[in-house]
Amino acid sequence: DLEGPMQFEDPSGKLMMLPSDIALIQDKKMRQYVQMYAKDKELFFKEFAAAFQKLEELGTKNLKTVALA
Protein backbone atom coordinates (compact mmCIF):
# COMPACT_ATOMS: atom_id res chain seq x y z
CA ASP A 1 0.00 0.00 0.00
CA LEU A 2 1.24 3.47 -0.88
CA GLU A 3 0.97 6.23 1.66
CA GLY A 4 0.75 9.90 0.78
CA PRO A 5 -0.92 11.64 -2.17
CA MET A 6 -3.09 9.54 -4.48
CA GLN A 7 -1.14 8.25 -7.47
CA PHE A 8 -1.51 5.66 -10.21
CA GLU A 9 0.99 3.10 -11.50
CA ASP A 10 1.10 1.22 -14.77
CA PRO A 11 1.15 -2.61 -14.51
CA SER A 12 4.98 -2.67 -14.76
CA GLY A 13 5.30 -0.36 -11.74
CA LYS A 14 7.77 1.79 -13.70
CA LEU A 15 5.40 4.64 -14.62
CA MET A 16 3.59 6.75 -12.03
CA MET A 17 0.91 9.35 -12.71
CA LEU A 18 -0.86 11.80 -10.43
CA PRO A 19 -4.60 12.56 -10.66
CA SER A 20 -3.65 15.83 -12.40
CA ASP A 21 -1.79 13.82 -15.10
CA ILE A 22 -4.84 11.60 -15.64
CA ALA A 23 -7.07 14.69 -15.92
CA LEU A 24 -4.96 15.95 -18.84
CA ILE A 25 -5.87 12.93 -20.95
CA GLN A 26 -9.49 12.69 -19.79
CA ASP A 27 -10.35 16.29 -20.67
CA LYS A 28 -11.19 16.52 -24.39
CA LYS A 29 -9.75 20.01 -24.78
CA MET A 30 -6.48 19.21 -23.01
CA ARG A 31 -5.98 15.79 -24.61
CA GLN A 32 -5.26 17.40 -27.99
CA TYR A 33 -2.30 19.24 -26.44
CA VAL A 34 -1.04 16.10 -24.71
CA GLN A 35 -1.10 14.29 -28.05
CA MET A 36 0.47 17.20 -29.93
CA TYR A 37 3.36 17.51 -27.47
CA ALA A 38 3.80 13.73 -27.26
CA LYS A 39 4.44 13.73 -31.01
CA ASP A 40 6.80 16.72 -30.96
CA LYS A 41 8.86 17.17 -27.81
CA GLU A 42 10.87 20.02 -29.35
CA LEU A 43 7.62 21.98 -29.80
CA PHE A 44 6.80 21.29 -26.14
CA PHE A 45 10.22 22.52 -24.99
CA LYS A 46 9.97 25.64 -27.15
CA GLU A 47 6.47 26.58 -25.97
CA PHE A 48 7.16 25.67 -22.35
CA ALA A 49 10.29 27.85 -22.33
CA ALA A 50 8.35 30.81 -23.73
CA ALA A 51 5.53 30.40 -21.20
CA PHE A 52 7.92 29.94 -18.27
CA GLN A 53 9.94 32.99 -19.31
CA LYS A 54 6.74 35.03 -19.39
CA LEU A 55 5.81 33.78 -15.93
CA GLU A 56 9.23 34.66 -14.57
CA GLU A 57 9.25 38.13 -16.13
CA LEU A 58 5.72 39.05 -15.10
CA GLY A 59 5.94 37.60 -11.61
CA THR A 60 2.91 36.77 -9.50
CA LYS A 61 0.38 38.72 -7.48
CA ASN A 62 -2.23 37.94 -4.85
CA LEU A 63 -0.71 34.62 -3.80
CA LYS A 64 -2.47 32.85 -0.96
CA THR A 65 -1.05 30.47 1.62
CA VAL A 66 -2.37 26.94 1.29
CA ALA A 67 -2.45 24.73 4.35
CA LEU A 68 -1.08 21.27 3.67
CA ALA A 69 -3.21 18.66 5.36
Side-chain angles (χ1 to χ4, degrees):
D1 252 346
L2 297 174
E3 293 185 25
M6 184 171 46
Q7 55 190 7
F8 302 91
E9 279 188 357
D10 74 334
S12 74
K14 295 180 181 181
L15 178 65
M16 185 276 302
M17 295 178 80
L18 297 172
S20 55
D21 300 321
I22 301 293
L24 290 173
I25 60 174
Q26 289 178 336
D27 182 275
K28 290 179 184 179
K29 291 181 182 177
M30 290 304 297
R31 187 179 180 97
Q32 66 182 330
Y33 294 103
V34 172
Q35 292 171 333
M36 178 178 68
Y37 291 137
K39 291 177 185 172
D40 188 347
K41 72 177 183 178
E42 292 304 318
L43 176 63
F44 171 78
F45 292 143
K46 178 183 171 188
E47 292 189 357
F48 177 84
F52 192 76
Q53 179 180 0
K54 188 181 225 182
L55 175 67
E56 289 289 310
E57 290 173 352
L58 294 177
T60 56
K61 295 178 184 174
N62 302 320
L63 296 178
K64 296 182 177 21
T65 302
V66 176
L68 301 175

